[in-house]
Amino acid sequence: MEERGVDVISLVKGMYGKVYRGVKEIRGSLMVVEGISGVSYEEVVKIVGTDGVERLGRVLEVSKDMAVVQVLGDEEGLDTSCLVQFTGTTFKIPVSDEVLGRIFNGRFEPIDGLPPIVSGDKRDIYGSPINPCARVHPHEFIQTGISAIDGMLSLIRGQKLPIFSHSGLPHNVLAAQIARQATVPGKEEEFAVVFGGIGLRNVEARYFIEEFRKTGALERSVLVINLADDPAVERILTPRIALTVAEYLAFDLELHVLVILTDMTNYCEALREISTAREEVPGRGGYPGYMYSDLATIYERAGVIVGKKGSLTLMPILTMPGGDLRHPIPDLTGYITEGQIILSPELHAKGIYPPINVLPSLSRLMRGGVGPGKTRDDHRYLSDQLYDAYSRGVKARDLAKIVGEVGLSPRMRRYLRFADEFERKFLSQGVYENRTLEETLDLAWEVLSIIPEDELVRIPREYIEKYHPKYRGRELESS
Amino acid sequence: MRVGVIERIKGPVVIASGIKDVQIGEVIEVGEERLIGEVVRVTSDNFTIQVYESTSGLRPGEKVYATGKRLVAELGPGLMSRIFDGIQRPLEEILRRTGPFIRRGVKLNALPRDKKWYFKPLVKKGDVVEGGSIIGIVPETRIIEHRVLVPPDIKGEIVKIEEGEFKVDETVAIVRDKRGREHEIKLMQEWPVRVPRPFKSRLPLTEPLITGQRVIDTFFPVAKGGAACIPGGFGTGKTVTLHKIAMWSDSEIVVYIGCGERGNEMCELLTEFPKLIDPRKKVPMIERSIMIANTSNMPVSAREASIYMGITIAEYYRDQGYHVTLIADSTSRWAEAVREISGRLEEMPVEEGFPAYLPDRLAEFYERAGRVVALGTPEREGSVTILAAVSPPGGDFNEPVTIHTLRFVGAMWALDTDLAYRRHFPAINWLRSFSQYAEPLEKWWVEKFPEFPNYRRRALRLLTVASEIEAIASVIGEGALPDDQRLILLTAEIIKEGFLRQVAMEGEDTFCKPEKQYLMLKMIMDFYDRAYILVRHRVPVDDIANLPEVFEMMRVKEDERGVEAVKEVYEKVIKALDNIARKYGIDLEGELRGWRKGE
């Protein structure tokens, strides 16, 4: 811990800067410095307290002789006679191909005992927006080996698809499984994984590190981990550092990168903390009014760019406070991301893994990434029909709770049976079970065959005749 | 040039001093990189600038330069089929200039200055023209003839006009006014984006915008020149619905504003538009489209400007005599940008942190929609139809932006999370949506299909009754309902699956012609009338529900043969019901006749 702050600071060594002694006011993580000049907006600041500890900060507001500085790291121990150095640069990290296989903290200092990254190539962690004209509309299907996702919520290269979860659900296990199994069928390239842990508990951090190490994924991964007991304001930097590294891997080294950010709820909490300290007008739930735009500068960094071979696929994970989908954090996230995967405590309680509630879940880019030439010609229709049948089944199940199963019409009873089978056979699978897309789709047909053919109105007749187990069975008999 | 100096920086808001005569709305270039901004507040000793680019790295003491101009749109040939950011910088040029990431401080003209256009005069020397008059045409794309207009404040006699190739900033004609002053007319003109362009008079809204989406055209139509909003929580399909309208509606020109939304969605339009062929004009859709993109990660203050930029361009083509559809996705993001700037200006917030002038701003925007008679000669009409997405937090419509928007629009397409979960798209809730245009537009439909209003009203009523019955059925179970009520549920299901649900992104069902919409509705409602008589004569509803024709009604929308297929299924349905009637000895036709008389 004595190395704290050294590496980022070493980046700015040799740059010009001015040192001031004494600040006007320290309020929480905010500091008002007076009598300064030539300070720029969002400049990085180095602060040394009388305790000798170095901290970093960032300029939030500046006028001719006064600056408001956000202190990153522990503000405890600071007093008004500390030293403040303005570094003359915004927040940047060095990047090189040596980042692969490494583990860093939320300030990009190595925590794996290896030396820091040295490179002349430094990137602003806030990045720049991708020109909409430079984007390629994502269309390459990623096989995750998980039926619910591959069959009904297909993940596409360059997509941003979050997992909305509840405390206590196995979202981290699911994320690790996706990181382990994700491939593009027919292509050899593996994904490089960039993992951003935001306010992660020690035990969770260890789980990911162990999981990555065990499966040999670590050497093609970069882990940036801010622990729950690290300073909260550093959580603002963690996802941006992870994404800056990911952008470098994807658009400079041209790798296919999967970024996992967990838990974005901790990020938003930190954002709220800073906003309240600045006495800004609070929006819904006390979160700042600009949280949408702020989250967008993180999520929108995913994508595929014209003329670049790499891609950046983003899977943020967030626990919905109180399990409420309408809470500002999942709500604003859902407005920015391209769909959402929602985990359900009810399914989890039933012992179903992964406990994905497919009905409110959605992958917006699925339509462009599946179908003939991409996955299989019946994929899209099959998925539509599964949604329809399962939602009827769930409705029947609710009704059966009131009127009893005998009170249901025969048709409703069939849908109820379908819902049970769907959860038991299609949804459920092992943590280390990696299903091919073919297996997933055939499984879907198997459970759908509970429903009479005529009622499968969302599947064109030609595909029913091509894939329905009944017809495939006949083919087998005749041949 | 008037030069001042930066005093203070606070996010996108910069306070500067040193120029005495700046005006609200004046464009200021800020700092060494000359970032573009607009004056939003003036005091006796300083002024506040809303900067349209990231202010990171800017420092107090840097200079600011007043331009003396307001934020204007460049209007002229070369807008069509292109994409701009919120302050009209061409994004494709920026891509060529700075690579895939947008760097700041880039200054580029919206209209290319080196391109030559062929100008053909329509007036001659000696003709008297006034503001808005068409003096000539330029072929802008294969389908859009760009009509060159006299700027609104000029009136007089043509003293010189030439045919030939011109760049946008070259003079094509000279007009001498009454006082003998000469005005040069170029292919290009400028107009301040926050001021509505003038017109002669407003016209009543009598013609529908045909979107090809059944739930909209049949049940909740929007008129050309009207305004509609489409509110809905995330995942309910706002953008997909608007994309479909942008692609398939019968508008002559589409201006699409991606305001604070996803980059990939703008990219999808950019990929799709050049590929999609307009079924009426047989050329790619891109040749009638203009896009404004200020995605969610681009600077917030330019997002605020993008709405005005888009509507000004739309009005300019309206003035040329076109029917323009302006799509804004999403106005909530625009309102949030207004809120953020207001917060930085330390204005007193009202509901949810929004400033008190939010309703005024919304009203100003929606009032720029309309069907009008344009200024000048020859007499012509044009329209701007506004279709705006609203993204209410938590999908709850009881929030400032939705509430105030509803005061100023004529139609609402309310999106419903439950429908979206069932993959019923467009997830437009038929109970909550409304359209004030339905009645004035009835005349248009009646001319083609006299029975249309009757079918429409009955179908809506049936859906309302069905939702009440559903509420009961969810308590006692469908099996316990009487047969006539189960028939209503069955028919409602056919309407939902066979008529309202329209998800196709390609093939027959992407665009449904009015004729087919009418025939499908007629098919379902005629089925209901006959089935109702049968059920009243104690025919078990299951006999009807299990007919294969019932499922055919749900599928026929996708049949490539279109109207022919609907007619065929119609015949089959009637025949199947006749067969049942015969089996039970019921005089179906006779009863129907008596029934119609009685109605």
Side-chain angles (χ1 to χ4, degrees), chain A residues 38-39 41-42 61-64 128-129 131 292-293 331 335-338 361 364 387 392 399 456 458-459, chain B residues 7-9 11 56-60 91 100 102-103 235 260 262 264 333 392 394 423 474 493 497 501:
Chain A
V39 171
Y41 179 62
E42 293 194 329
E61 190 181 324
V62 59
S63 58
K64 265 190 173 154
S128 296
N131 188 330
Y292 174 85
S293 304
D331 188 50
Y335 272 121
I336 305 164
T337 53
E338 284 140 352
S361 302
R364 287 170 191 270
Y387 272 111
R392 283 168 202 272
L399 192 54
L456 302 177
R458 295 195 175 178
I459 307 178
Chain B
E7 295 279 337
R8 188 170 175 197
I9 303 145
S56 177
L58 218 56
R59 46 184 90 204
L91 287 169
I102 299 178
R103 315 276 174 218
R262 304 176 183 91
N264 275 336
R333 304 302 163 220
R423 299 302 185 263
S474 66
E493 169 111 17
E497 181 64 40
R501 185 169 181 272

Side-chain angles (χ1 to χ4, degrees), chain A residues 284-460:
Chain A
R284 227 162 38 111
Y287 294 93
Y290 52 78
M291 192 157 87
Y292 174 85
S293 304
D294 187 275
L295 285 174
T297 61
I298 294 178
Y299 298 142
E300 278 286 326
R301 289 171 82 168
V304 185
I305 290 181
V306 178
K308 307 264 183 193
K309 277 201 222 101
S311 63
L312 201 166
T313 310
L314 178 59
M315 279 201 117
I317 298 172
L318 54 90
T319 47
M320 297 180 279
D324 181 8
L325 187 59
R326 295 178 168 204
H327 185 280
I329 299 173
D331 188 50
L332 295 179
T333 298
Y335 272 121
I336 305 164
T337 53
E338 284 140 352
Q340 65 278 337
I341 294 175
I342 298 183
L343 302 191
S344 139
E346 286 81 27
L347 289 172
H348 181 60
K350 276 196 202 170
I352 291 168
Y353 174 86
I356 297 174
N357 183 2
V358 292
L359 294 181
S361 302
L362 169 75
S363 166
R364 287 170 191 270
L365 300 183
M366 176 168 178
R367 198 165 270 280
V370 303
K374 291 163 180 164
T375 54
R376 209 169 83 176
D377 44 8
D378 58 334
H379 192 164
R380 183 188 305 166
Y381 305 103
L382 197 56
S383 155
D384 266 359
Q385 190 69 59
L386 285 174
Y387 272 111
D388 183 67
Y390 184 58
S391 82
R392 283 168 202 272
V394 170
K395 213 167 138 193
R397 189 184 284 159
D398 289 344
L399 192 54
K401 281 181 197 146
I402 304 166
V403 298
E405 239 185 277
V406 280
L408 297 178
S409 64
R411 186 161 170 240
M412 291 288 259
R413 267 206 295 278
R414 255 192 324 260
Y415 279 105
L416 177 57
R417 218 182 93 218
F418 167 82
D420 291 338
E421 288 290 288
F422 171 82
E423 288 171 6
R424 207 170 56 82
K425 283 189 178 157
F426 183 81
L427 208 53
S428 292
Q429 69 184 85
V431 175
Y432 292 91
E433 184 183 351
N434 191 351
R435 289 184 192 154
T436 65
L437 180 70
E438 204 71 15
E439 284 168 348
T440 291
L441 296 182
D442 289 348
L443 214 49
W445 275 108
E446 194 188 318
V447 288
L448 270 179
S449 64
I450 294 172
I451 293 160
E453 256 178 78
D454 265 346
E455 288 186 32
L456 302 177
V457 292
R458 295 195 175 178
I459 307 178

Side-chain angles (χ1 to χ4, degrees), chain B residues 352-478:
Chain B
E352 305 251 352
F354 287 105
Y357 50 76
L358 176 72
D360 299 342
R361 292 279 186 91
L362 282 168
E364 279 164 22
F365 170 62
Y366 285 108
E367 283 303 294
R368 289 175 82 167
R371 179 169 161 245
V372 305
V373 178
L375 290 177
T377 51
E379 185 161 307
R380 61 203 181 273
E381 68 160 82
S383 70
V384 172
T385 312
I386 296 183
L387 309 178
V390 179
S391 321
D396 177 6
F397 293 179
N398 195 4
E399 58 90 38
V401 182
T402 317
I403 291 172
H404 294 306
T405 299
L406 287 180
R407 291 163 56 200
F408 309 119
V409 296
M412 165 169 84
W413 303 321
L415 296 180
D416 185 321
T417 319
D418 283 336
L419 289 175
Y421 286 177
R422 270 185 275 150
R423 299 302 185 263
H424 175 111
F425 290 113
I428 296 176
N429 182 314
W430 44 89
L431 301 176
R432 291 183 79 180
S433 302
F434 68 81
S435 169
Q436 292 164 349
Y437 307 114
E439 227 182 278
L441 293 178
E442 239 167 41
K443 224 178 121 204
W444 184 91
W445 283 94
V446 167
E447 277 170 18
K448 298 177 172 60
F449 318 105
E451 287 290 304
F452 173 82
N454 189 23
Y455 280 115
R456 174 181 179 269
R457 259 194 293 275
R458 286 180 47 221
L460 268 179
R461 206 185 312 143
L462 188 133
L463 287 168
T464 314
V465 175
S467 80
E468 288 161 11
I469 299 174
E470 261 168 35
I472 300 167
S474 66
V475 180
I476 61 169
E478 206 189 313

Side-chain angles (χ1 to χ4, degrees), chain B residues 198-248:
Chain B
F199 50 82
K200 205 172 278 167
S201 61
R202 278 187 191 269
L203 292 168
L205 310 179
T206 51
E207 199 189 321
L209 177 77
I210 299 298
T211 64
Q213 306 303 306
R214 285 181 293 269
V215 59
I216 294 176
D217 294 348
T218 296
F219 290 122
F220 309 106
V222 61
K224 286 196 174 121
C229 73
I230 177 162
F234 66 78
T236 50
K238 290 180 293 298
T239 303
V240 178
T241 308
L242 291 176
H243 275 197
K244 278 181 115 174
I245 296 175
M247 290 169 187
W248 303 112

Side-chain angles (χ1 to χ4, degrees), chain B residues 211-376:
Chain B
T211 64
Q213 306 303 306
R214 285 181 293 269
V215 59
I216 294 176
D217 294 348
T218 296
F219 290 122
F220 309 106
V222 61
K224 286 196 174 121
C229 73
I230 177 162
F234 66 78
T236 50
K238 290 180 293 298
T239 303
V240 178
T241 308
L242 291 176
H243 275 197
K244 278 181 115 174
I245 296 175
M247 290 169 187
W248 303 112
S249 70
D250 68 346
S251 12
E252 289 173 299
I253 287 172
V254 173
V255 178
Y256 195 103
I257 311 171
C259 175
E261 288 288 313
R262 304 176 183 91
N264 275 336
E265 284 168 357
M266 290 317 290
C267 164
E268 188 177 3
L269 283 182
L270 281 172
T271 327
E272 289 298 315
F273 273 160
K275 282 194 239 156
L276 292 171
I277 302 297
D278 184 332
R280 285 165 290 270
K281 304 277 172 58
K282 312 287 178 217
V283 298
M285 300 273 189
I286 190 90
E287 300 199 15
R288 63 165 206 187
S289 314
I290 300 169
M291 281 157 280
I292 311 276
N294 223 91
T295 56
S296 54
N297 55 339
M298 285 158 78
V300 168
S301 33
R303 191 194 297 169
E304 191 265 342
S306 65
I307 289 278
Y308 299 104
M309 187 57 71
I311 191 105
T312 304
I313 293 173
E315 284 175 339
Y316 174 63
Y317 282 94
R318 171 202 72 189
D319 293 346
Q320 294 178 35
Y322 286 108
H323 292 289
V324 186
T325 301
L326 175 103
I327 295 177
D329 182 14
S330 150
T331 52
S332 292
R333 304 302 163 220
W334 167 79
E336 281 166 14
V338 172
R339 172 171 70 185
E340 183 167 344
I341 292 154
S342 162
R344 305 273 184 186
L345 295 173
E346 290 166 7
E347 290 172 339
M348 180 71 82
V350 290
E351 320 152 85
E352 305 251 352
F354 287 105
Y357 50 76
L358 176 72
D360 299 342
R361 292 279 186 91
L362 282 168
E364 279 164 22
F365 170 62
Y366 285 108
E367 283 303 294
R368 289 175 82 167
R371 179 169 161 245
V372 305
V373 178
L375 290 177

